[in-house]
C-alpha cells in the first residue's frame, strides 16, 4: 500500500496464460499458485514469512557462470519507481547490464520524497515532502526481502531495519461522536495450528466488533458471517462471483445502519484505497484488506518475520531511509540511470520490440534507445499510451489495459511548531467527505531531531494527510476538491482533519500549530477548468482482475511490471509493484534460457485449516450452489 495469477475455471491451481508459473524451494513461489503448496500446511505460508535474512539466499547474487553469460545482455527498464528499481535490482544481481530510464530527475516514483521549495536554512535540509505517507503492512514479504538486501549503515537487516511498528489506529468521528481506538498489535497468543475453525473465527470477529463499535448485534452477526463466506470461498468463486460483486452489495451495506455503512463499507475502501465500496471488487477488499491486512495480521500469521506487526512506517523521510540507499546500492551493482526521460513509444517490428522512442519531459531531444530486453515498469495510465497498434495486435492483453481505471489519492504535508499527539499510528477520519487519513510522522523518526535537521528550526513535526475523495463537496467551501484551488484544498483538508480529531473535550490540532504545508506538484491546474494529476492511483472496481495483464507478454523480449500487473496482491501497493518485478524478471530469465536462480515470489497467506472448506466450496461452485455459510 502506498498511502499497490490466473485462475482456472474450477480449481485452486493458477497458471499464467503465458506460462509464468515456477516453483520455489525457499518457501515462496516463482509464479502463480500451486495447489500442492496450499495443501502442504504452513511450510510455504508461514515459513516464507519468517525466514528473514535466509530469503536472501533464494534471490541472491547469481553464480559466476550465470553472471558472465548475462553480462553481455542489456536490459532497458522503463521507469524508476518501486517496480522499476525492483526489476533492476534482481537483474543486476544476476549480472545483466541494466539501464533505468526515469521521467523525473529523482528515483522512487510515488514513493519518493521531495524537497519543499524555499525551506532549509542554517545548514538544515529542506522540509521533506511526499506524494502521501508510506506504510508497509506486516503481510508485505516480497518488498521487505528486497529491503533486506539494500545496505544501510548500522542495520544488519539493511533498510528493512528502518521500519517501525505502528501500534494503534484512530477511527476519528466528527464532533459529538465517539472515536474508536483500534489496537494494531498482533496477538501474543495466536490460535494454534488446527484451532482456527469457522466457529472460532465468527466468535472472535463478533466479539471484536461488539466491543469496539456500537453496531447493533444483528449487523455484527451478519458481517461476521459474510467474512466467513469469503474466507471459505474457493478461488473459482472468488474470481468469478466475488470479483463481479461490489463490496457494498456483498455486505448489504445499503440495508443496514449508517454506522455499518461508514465503518465496514466506506472506511475499508474509500479511505484506504481510494475505491468506492459501491464499485470495489469483493475479491480485492475481502482478500487483501479484511483477510491479509486485518484478520491474519492480528493473528500473527503470514507476516514478514517475528518483529513485524500489522502496520509499519519508516523512521525517516522515504528517500533518506530507503530510496537513496537503494540507488547507491544499484549503482554499485553497475545499474545506470538516465533521468528526464519520457517514454513516447515502444517500437515493434518482426515479432519483437526493436527500441523505445524517448524524449525529455517537454517533448524535445527525441532519441531511440535499444536493448536486448525491455521491462516496462510505468504506471498503466502512462504505459498504455506508448503501445502502438502493431504492439497491441501482438498481445491482446495490452488493449484490455485501456479499461483499467485510476482515481486521485494525493497527500498534503502539514508542518507544525509542536509535536502533534494524534495516535501512535494512522488516523482514519471516517466522517470526512474527502476521506481524509493522516499520521504524525516525527514520533517514528527515532534518532532525528526535526527542528535541528529540517527547515528553519521552527518545525517540530509533520502531519501527513491524504485526500482520497476528490468529487464530494467539503465542509468549508462546499466544493469538491477538483474544483478548489490548491490553497482551498489545504484549508479544507485541515478543517476536516480538525473536525475528526478535535472532539470529546480534546483539541489535538490547532490552527496556531501550522507553520507550512506541501502538496505534490504532480497535481496541477487546480482552480481552473481542467485540473490534472500525473500520479493517480490504480483502483479496483469489479471485473478489474480479468483486465490486468501478466508480467510475461506475447512479445518475447518485452515484459511488464507495475501495480496494475497481475500479482497475488490484488491491490495497488508497493508490494504488488515489487512482486510484479520479480515475475517479470523470472519471465525474462526463462526467455533467455538463463540458469540463474529465479526470484522467489511470496504469496498471501492461506490458513491450511480452511483449505478443506474451500475444496467443499469448489465442488459446490461447480454444481451452481452457494457457499455453505452463505445465508444471503
Amino acid at each position: 500500500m502506498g498511502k499497490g495469477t490466473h485462475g482456472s475455471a474450477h480449481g485452486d491451481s493458477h497458471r499464467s496464460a503465458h506460462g509464468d508459473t515456477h516453483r520455489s524451494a525457499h518457501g515462496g513461489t516463482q509464479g502463480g499458485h500451486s495447489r500442492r503448496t496450499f495443501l502442504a500446511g504452513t511450510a510455504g505460508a508461514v515459513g516464507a514469512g519468517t525466514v528473514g535474512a535466509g530469503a536472501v539466499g533464494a534471490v541472491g547474487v547469481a553464480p559466476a557462470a550465470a553472471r558472465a553469460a548475462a553480462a553481455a545482455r542489456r536490459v532497458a527498464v522503463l521507469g524508476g519507481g518501486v517496480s522499476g528499481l525492483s526489476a533492476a535490482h534482481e537483474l543486476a544481481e544476476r549480472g545483466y547490464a541494466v539501464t533505468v530510464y526515469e521521467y523525473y530527475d529523482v528515483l522512487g516514483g510515488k514513493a519518493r520524497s521531495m524537497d519543499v521549495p524555499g525551506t532549509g536554512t542554517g545548514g538544515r535540509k529542506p522540509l521533506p515532502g511526499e506524494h502521501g505517507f508510506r506504510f508497509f503492512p506486516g503481510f508485505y514479504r516480497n518488498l521487505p526481502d528486497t529491503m533486506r538486501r539494500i545496505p544501510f549503515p548500522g542495520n544488519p537487516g539493511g533498510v528493512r531495519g528502518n521500519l517501525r511498528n505502528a501500534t494503534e489506529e484512530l477511527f476519528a468521528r466528527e464532533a459529538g461522536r465517539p472515536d474508536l481506538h483500534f489496537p494494531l498489535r498482533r496477538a501474543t497468543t495466536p490460535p494454534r495450528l488446527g484451532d482456527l475453525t469457522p466457529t472460532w473465527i465468527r466468535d472472535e470477529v463478533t466479539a471484536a466488533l461488539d466491543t469496539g463499535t456500537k453496531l447493533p448485534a444483528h449487523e455484527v452477526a451478519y458481517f461476521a458471517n459474510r467474512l466467513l463466506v469469503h474466507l471459505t470461498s474457493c478461488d473459482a468463486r472468488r474470481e468469478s462471483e466475488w470479483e463481479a460483486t461490489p463490496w457494498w452489495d456483498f455486505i448489504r451495506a445499503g440495508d443496514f445502519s449508517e454506522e455499518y455503512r461508514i465503518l465496514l463499507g466506506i472506511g475499508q475502501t474509500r479511505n484506504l484505497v481510494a475505491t468506492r465500496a459501491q464499485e470495489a471488487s469483493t475479491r480485492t477488499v475481502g482478500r487483501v484488506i479484511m483477510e491479509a491486512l486485518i484478520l491474519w495480521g492480528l493473528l500473527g500469521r503470514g507476516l514478514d518475520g517475528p518483529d513485524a506487526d500489522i502496520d509499519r512506517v519508516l523512521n525517516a523521510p522515504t528517500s533518506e531511509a530507503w530510496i537513496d540507499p537503494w540507488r547507491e546500492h544499484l549503482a554499485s551493482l553497475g545499474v545506470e540511470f538516465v533521468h528526464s526521460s519520457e517514454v513516447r513509444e515502444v517500437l515493434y517490428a518482426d515479432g519483437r520490440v526493436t527500441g523505445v522512442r524517448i524524449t525529455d519531459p517537454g517533448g524535445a531531444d527525441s532519441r531511440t534507445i535499444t536493448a536486448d530486453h525491455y521491462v516496462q515498469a510505468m504506471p498503466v495510465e502512462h504505459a498504455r499510451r506508448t503501445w502502438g497498434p502493431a504492439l497491441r495486435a501482438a498481445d491482446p492483453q495490452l488493449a484490455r489495459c485501456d479499461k483499467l481505471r485510476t482515481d486521485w489519492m494525493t497527500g498534503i504535508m502539514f508542518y507544525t511548531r509542536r509535536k502533534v499527539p494524534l495516535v501512535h499510528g494512522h488516523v482514519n477520519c471516517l466522517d470526512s467527505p474527502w476521506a481524509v487519513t493522516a499520521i504524525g510522522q516525527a514520533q517514528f523518526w527515532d534518532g532525528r531531531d526535526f527542528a535541528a535537521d529540517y527547515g528553519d528550526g521552527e518545525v517540530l513535526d509533520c502531519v501527513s494527510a491524504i485526500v482520497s475523495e476528490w468529487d464530494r463537496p467539503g465542509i468549508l467551501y462546499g466544493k469538491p476538491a477538483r474544483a478548489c484551488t490548491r490553497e482551498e484544498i489545504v484549508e479544507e483538508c485541515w478543517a476536516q482533519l480538525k473536525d475528526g480529531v478535535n472532539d470529546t473535550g480534546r483539541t489535538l490540532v490547532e490552527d496556531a500549530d501550522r507553520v507550512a504545508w506541501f502538496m505534490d506538484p504532480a497535481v496541477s491546474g487546480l482552480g481552473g477548468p481542467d485540473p490534472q494529476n500525473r500520479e493517480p492511483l490504480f483502483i479496483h472496481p469489479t471485473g478489474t482482475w480479468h483486465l490486468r495483464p501478466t508480467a510475461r507478454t506475447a512479445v518475447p523480449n518485452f515484459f511488464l511490471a507495475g501495480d496494475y500487473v497481475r500479482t497475488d496482491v490484488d491491490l495497488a501497493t508497493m508490494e504488488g509493484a515489487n512482486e510484479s518485478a520479480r515475475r517479470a524478471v523470472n519471465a525474462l530469465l526463462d526467455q533467455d534460457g538463463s540458469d540463474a536462480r529465479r526470484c522467489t515470489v511470496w504469496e498471501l497467506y492461506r490458513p491450511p485449516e480452511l483449505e478443506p472448506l474451500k475444496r467443499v466450496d469448489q465442488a459446490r461452485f461447480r454444481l451452481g450452489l452457494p457457499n455453505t455459510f452463505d445465508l444471503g
Side-chain angles (χ1 to χ4, degrees):
M1 296 185 182
K3 215 357 191 221
T5 56
H6 286 65
S8 65
H10 301 289
D12 289 352
S13 175
H14 294 241
R15 178 171 294 275
S16 163
H18 299 291
D20 60 357
T21 297
H22 303 277
R23 289 295 307 142
S24 165
H26 299 275
T29 67
Q30 293 149 355
H33 295 300
S34 164
R35 189 163 183 257
R36 185 173 61 209
T37 300
F38 298 157
L39 302 184
T42 58
V46 178
T50 58
V51 292
V56 175
V59 290
V61 176
R67 290 176 59 80
R73 308 291 282 170
R74 297 174 300 122
V75 182
V77 175
L78 311 177
V82 172
S83 59
L85 296 181
S86 298
H89 194 154
E90 301 295 346
L91 288 163
E93 285 190 340
R94 289 157 178 80
Y96 283 83
V98 182
T99 303
V100 176
Y101 297 87
E102 166 57 31
Y103 176 86
Y104 293 108
D105 59 1
V106 293
L107 299 173
K110 287 192 283 286
R112 74 192 187 282
S113 304
M114 294 166 271
D115 292 341
V116 179
T119 64
T121 62
R124 302 177 190 86
K125 304 172 192 175
L127 291 171
E130 298 189 346
H131 173 82
F133 55 72
R134 306 290 99 202
F135 77 106
F136 302 75
F139 73 83
Y140 282 16
R141 290 187 283 178
N142 293 287
L143 185 62
D145 171 65
T146 297
M147 296 174 79
R148 285 187 182 95
R149 290 146 47 207
I150 304 170
F152 193 89
N155 287 356
V159 301
R160 184 194 176 278
N162 291 331
L163 293 176
R164 297 293 180 267
N165 290 324
T167 60
E168 187 178 22
E169 182 169 6
L170 171 61
F171 292 93
R173 309 305 303 269
E174 63 188 4
R177 307 185 72 176
D179 295 339
L180 169 63
H181 289 260
F182 190 79
L184 293 180
R185 304 304 298 267
R186 65 182 181 179
T188 55
T189 55
R192 295 172 299 177
L193 190 64
D195 287 351
L196 194 67
T197 66
T199 299
W200 189 93
I201 293 172
R202 182 190 289 118
D203 289 347
E204 290 299 310
V205 172
T206 300
L209 290 176
D210 194 47
T211 301
T213 74
K214 295 184 179 299
L215 292 174
H218 72 283
E219 295 185 353
V220 168
Y222 183 79
F223 182 81
N225 177 260
R226 297 310 284 167
L227 185 57
L228 193 59
V229 168
H230 195 274
L231 287 170
T232 58
S233 289
C234 66
D235 292 333
R237 189 184 299 280
R238 292 184 181 205
E239 291 172 13
S240 58
E241 189 173 352
W242 302 144
E243 174 62 21
T245 303
W247 179 248
W248 188 267
D249 295 345
F250 180 75
I251 64 171
R252 283 179 52 191
D255 296 335
F256 293 122
S257 66
E258 180 185 7
E259 194 77 355
Y260 181 94
R261 293 193 293 270
I262 291 175
L263 282 175
L264 303 176
I266 297 170
Q268 304 307 319
T269 56
R270 194 64 183 164
N271 294 45
L272 291 180
V273 292
T275 299
R276 294 174 177 85
Q278 294 86 341
E279 300 177 323
S281 157
T282 291
R283 178 187 185 275
T284 298
V285 176
R287 187 165 176 269
V288 181
I289 297 177
M290 300 308 302
E291 293 182 20
L293 176 63
I294 299 177
L295 184 56
W296 307 141
L298 285 172
L299 295 182
R301 291 193 178 187
L303 299 184
D304 169 46
D307 61 339
D309 270 330
I310 297 175
D311 185 6
R312 299 176 293 183
V313 298
L314 288 166
N315 65 350
T318 307
S319 289
E320 289 184 35
W322 173 28
I323 303 299
D324 291 344
W326 203 2
R327 178 192 175 111
E328 293 175 9
H329 180 58
L330 294 181
S332 74
L333 295 176
V335 176
E336 297 182 353
F337 304 96
V338 181
H339 294 280
S340 300
S341 299
E342 180 170 7
V343 175
R344 295 286 179 162
E345 184 179 6
V346 178
L347 305 174
Y348 173 84
D350 300 325
R352 299 178 65 83
V353 169
T354 59
V356 177
R357 187 169 65 86
I358 289 178
T359 69
D360 67 20
D365 188 27
S366 180
R367 61 200 186 279
T368 298
I369 59 103
T370 61
D372 297 299
H373 300 288
Y374 302 83
V375 178
Q376 188 163 29
M378 298 163 53
V380 64
E381 67 274 11
H382 300 303
R384 61 192 175 197
R385 297 173 187 166
T386 71
W387 303 332
L391 180 59
R392 287 166 173 261
D395 192 342
Q397 68 174 341
L398 300 181
R400 292 199 297 270
C401 292
D402 291 340
K403 297 180 181 179
L404 295 175
R405 291 173 51 190
T406 62
D407 205 345
W408 289 25
M409 178 183 261
T410 301
I412 302 169
M413 318 290 110
F414 295 106
Y415 305 97
T416 62
R417 57 174 45 91
R418 69 181 178 92
K419 292 186 177 180
V420 179
L422 293 176
V423 68
H424 194 255
H426 290 88
V427 178
N428 189 335
C429 297
L430 288 175
D431 302 305
S432 164
W434 286 7
V436 172
T437 49
I439 188 170
Q441 294 188 314
Q443 61 186 319
F444 297 101
W445 290 5
D446 46 39
R448 285 172 172 78
D449 184 325
F450 209 120
D453 294 338
Y454 304 98
D456 61 2
E458 185 179 0
V459 174
L460 295 184
D461 203 348
C462 173
V463 177
S464 181
I466 288 179
V467 173
S468 298
E469 171 60 76
W470 288 72
D471 297 310
R472 290 181 60 194
I475 64 174
L476 198 59
Y477 301 106
K479 298 189 294 185
R482 291 182 200 266
C484 291
T485 65
R486 188 172 293 264
E487 291 73 18
E488 287 173 336
I489 289 175
V490 169
E491 296 304 325
E492 181 74 62
C493 179
W494 183 255
Q496 292 185 32
L497 179 63
K498 289 193 301 180
D499 190 55
V501 302
N502 291 347
D503 55 17
T504 61
R506 301 174 306 160
T507 302
L508 298 183
V509 177
E510 303 181 54
D511 292 339
D513 293 334
R514 274 175 48 189
V515 177
W517 57 267
F518 173 83
M519 184 191 299
D520 190 343
V523 179
S524 60
L526 291 169
D530 187 29
Q532 297 291 322
N533 186 350
R534 197 180 189 282
E535 302 290 352
L537 182 75
F538 172 58
I539 60 172
H540 307 261
T542 54
T544 296
W545 172 252
H546 304 293
L547 301 174
R548 296 174 65 159
T550 57
R552 181 192 302 270
T553 76
V555 181
N557 66 336
F558 184 56
F559 310 90
L560 301 176
D563 59 14
Y564 71 99
V565 173
R566 279 199 182 192
T567 60
D568 198 56
V569 180
D570 181 26
L571 196 65
T573 61
M574 296 182 292
E575 174 77 348
N578 182 274
E579 180 189 335
S580 72
R582 292 167 180 254
R583 294 182 184 274
V585 170
N586 284 345
L588 188 154
L589 295 173
D590 289 348
Q591 182 61 41
D592 233 10
S594 172
D595 61 357
R597 189 183 297 275
R598 299 313 191 249
C599 306
T600 298
V601 173
W602 280 267
E603 298 181 339
L604 293 177
Y605 176 72
R606 295 175 64 118
E609 299 98 322
L610 298 183
E611 291 304 316
L613 292 171
K614 291 182 180 179
R615 293 199 296 275
V616 170
D617 190 59
Q618 181 180 337
R620 293 180 64 86
F621 180 75
R622 286 174 173 170
L623 295 172
L625 300 173
N627 179 276
T628 301
F629 299 95
D630 196 343
L631 305 179

